[in-house]
Amino acid sequence: MSTAPSTTTDESPQSVTPALSRRAWSPLRPLVLRLHFYAGLLVAPFLLVAAATGFLYAASFQAEKIVYSHELTVPVGDHELTLSRQVAAARKAHPEGTVSAVRPAPEADATTRVLLSGVPGVGADHTLAVFVDPYTGKVRGALEQYGSTGALPLRTWIDGLHANLQLGENGRLYSELAASWLWVIAGGGLVLWCGRRRSQRKVRGTSGRRRTLGLHGTVGVWAAAGFVFLSATGLTWSTYAGANIDTLRTSLGQATPSVSAATGGEHAGHTGAGTAEAEAPDIARDIDKILAAARAKGLGDPVEIVPPADADSAYVAKQIQRSWPKKQDSVAVDPATGKVTDELRFADYPLLAKLTRWGIDAHTGTLFGLVNQIALMALALSLILLIVWGYRMWWQRGRASAFGRPIPRGAWQQVPPQILVPAMAAVAVLCYFVPLLGIPLAVFIAVDVLLGEIAYRKGKRTHGGRAA
């Protein structure tokens, strides 16, 4: 499970002992060892960046509370103003753009957020969050906000760095590559470690490369499950693998549902989940009625209210709590009557939709709050250490005479056909769904075969036989 080469002192495929060769998995060990070595060697730089930026992102939740404490918190007052008066105060201070959503103060010492879209200087996929004191109506500031978790500038920037290195859509390929290979490297390392004799796993009393290997393996074994989880959940919203996963979920009837904001007829397909296209003229008057209808349906804080897209659509009020226990219920409310026209409960989500929601929120550090964030930082730090130890072992393997001798070729030839053929078929299917695993793997195999052929021809010319 290294993210860089990790091998024993007897890595050569020919060194597999008779006892080990009797085990069912032993023919695969040299192949796993070679894949683990080269995958770790080549993908480790991407994983190192992902781990470092992921560590920063996990810490950004708490940093955000400190940096933006003035905008986020207020002294607790005696009486809250109506939500309509708070919205009016925000619009008076910031008349630009249109209201795309309103988030009432979720706690006694928190501000209300009025989100504005179409504001000059604010990105199309971002909003301007105006923070209003719910007791006095004073505007305590305005900050650019991104995403459903309400990320403010600091966390938004770190999120972009982690997701795409601030390079836009093309930059997302780096994080998808890292996520595609992390589980392969982690799983391979786990298999290799479990295949070692217990006496070879200890750290105490060892030195040099063996000690590095012991530290690398021990930490890797403890962190392997976390790495596989991060890999799987990270792929769910990646560019290519994520699209394949969405297609598969839809075909199985497991797509994430959404409440309908249609009030009838031709608008029945409108979900109301996006940014409003035009501000409803009576929003300041309607919003108290909408909030009351949502509360009557059991929607507790935190909640977000999205105005209708047009005169024939309804407001959508939805819970936005991503922490445990989940609060993701939503209702649509007709602005003319104040009646709920549609409702959707998180309990009614399909199983895969629930698992996806839980997985993404755990990956981003919101599902279990501070504990979740600390666990993510520990995993990120573990991955960084594994990469450093992996490269150190590569150096030590050269025994001061060469920088990292490679693992010998020919490992796949030792795998019995009854194991190799099904394994290759499974890999082909997997690589189809996860292209940034499949494409680099195909390139690696092609280059490896080419280099092997070159070495063979060179050895044949110089020694009259096949190169070792």
Side-chain angles (χ1 to χ4, degrees):
M1 125 199 32
S2 80
T3 53
S6 71
T7 59
T8 65
T9 55
D10 54 349
E11 294 92 340
S12 173
Q14 291 78 12
S15 65
V16 179
T17 65
L20 284 177
S21 63
R22 288 196 296 267
R23 299 181 183 180
W25 62 269
S26 62
L28 286 172
R29 185 179 184 278
L31 186 61
V32 173
L33 181 63
R34 184 165 171 78
L35 178 63
H36 184 69
F37 177 87
Y38 280 109
L41 177 67
L42 300 175
V43 180
F46 299 97
L47 289 173
L48 182 62
V49 174
T53 56
F55 183 94
L56 293 176
Y57 183 76
S60 68
F61 286 89
Q62 302 306 315
E64 190 175 65
K65 294 178 181 179
I66 298 172
V67 174
Y68 304 117
S69 60
H70 177 75
E71 289 83 2
L72 295 173
T73 59
V74 295
V76 179
D78 297 326
H79 177 70
E80 280 194 23
L81 301 176
T82 61
L83 189 56
S84 58
R85 291 183 61 184
Q86 297 177 53
V87 173
R91 295 301 282 150
K92 182 177 180 181
H94 291 273
E96 66 274 23
T98 59
V99 177
S100 60
V102 178
R103 296 185 174 188
E107 298 171 349
D109 63 344
T111 52
T112 291
R113 298 193 194 190
V114 179
L115 307 181
L116 307 178
S117 61
V119 176
V122 176
D125 57 344
H126 291 210
T127 57
L128 182 69
V130 181
F131 299 86
V132 182
D133 187 328
Y135 303 102
T136 66
K138 290 184 178 180
V139 173
R140 295 180 66 84
L143 296 167
E144 196 166 326
Q145 176 177 302
Y146 172 74
S148 57
T149 61
L152 298 178
L154 174 63
R155 183 153 58 94
T156 298
W157 189 86
I158 296 176
D159 177 41
L161 185 66
H162 177 64
N164 56 37
L165 301 177
Q166 297 294 344
L167 297 176
E169 283 299 310
N170 291 334
R172 293 182 64 187
L173 297 179
Y174 113 84
S175 57
E176 183 168 354
L177 178 68
S180 297
W181 281 91
L182 178 57
W183 71 272
V184 177
I185 298 171
L190 185 62
V191 169
L192 292 172
W193 184 254
C194 291
R196 289 174 61 84
R197 291 189 295 271
R198 182 165 299 183
S199 61
Q200 294 178 326
R201 301 177 189 173
K202 65 179 182 179
V203 177
R204 185 176 301 178
T206 59
S207 60
R209 186 178 180 281
R210 187 170 179 181
R211 178 175 177 80
T212 306
L213 177 60
L215 290 170
H216 179 89
T218 300
V219 172
V221 166
W222 282 103
F227 293 153
V228 173
F229 171 80
L230 290 178
S231 178
T233 54
L235 288 174
T236 58
W237 74 92
S238 61
T239 301
Y240 297 108
N244 290 333
I245 292 172
D246 286 343
T247 301
L248 179 62
R249 285 177 53 203
T250 301
S251 66
L252 296 174
Q254 296 288 309
T256 301
S258 56
V259 68
S260 172
T263 54
E266 57 181 337
H267 302 285
H270 180 71
T271 63
T275 301
E277 296 177 0
E279 180 180 355
D282 296 328
I283 183 172
R285 182 195 65 192
D286 291 340
I287 200 162
D288 291 329
K289 178 170 54 179
I290 305 304
L291 181 60
R295 298 297 193 213
K297 286 293 183 177
L299 270 65
D301 289 322
V303 68
E304 178 180 277
I305 300 173
V306 180
D310 51 53
D312 296 321
S313 298
Y315 282 82
V316 170
K318 51 187 178 182
Q319 292 177 306
I320 54 174
Q321 179 169 302
R322 297 290 184 83
S323 59
W324 191 271
K326 282 285 181 180
K327 292 184 179 181
Q328 294 284 293
D329 297 346
S330 56
V331 297
V333 183
D334 189 334
T337 64
K339 293 183 178 180
V340 172
T341 59
D342 190 27
E343 59 182 284
L344 175 66
R345 303 293 175 180
F346 183 70
D348 297 328
Y349 277 33
L351 177 60
L352 290 184
K354 288 180 180 178
L355 292 176
T356 300
R357 181 73 274 153
W358 289 328
I360 290 176
D361 291 338
H363 184 110
T364 56
T366 59
L367 187 60
F368 299 111
L370 181 60
V371 173
N372 197 164
Q373 294 150 24
I374 292 174
L376 289 174
M377 287 189 282
L379 278 175
L381 183 60
S382 298
L383 186 53
I384 292 171
L385 289 174
L386 289 171
I387 292 171
V388 172
W389 286 328
Y391 276 116
R392 178 169 174 76
M393 282 188 292
W394 185 37
W395 172 269
Q396 291 172 324
R397 190 168 183 265
R399 296 179 178 84
S401 62
F403 184 43
R405 294 181 294 111
I407 303 298
R409 295 184 180 88
W412 64 272
Q413 296 174 345
Q414 299 187 24
V415 181
Q418 64 269 25
I419 297 178
L420 182 62
V421 173
M424 291 185 67
V427 169
V429 172
L430 182 64
C431 290
Y432 173 80
F433 285 99
V434 188
L436 287 192
L437 171 64
I439 294 174
L441 181 59
V443 171
F444 163 72
I445 294 174
V447 171
D448 196 53
V449 170
L450 178 61
L451 292 177
E453 183 63 21
I454 293 174
Y456 167 72
R457 292 179 181 274
K458 182 178 179 181
K460 190 174 182 180
R461 288 197 306 267
T462 57
H463 301 102
R466 188 176 182 90

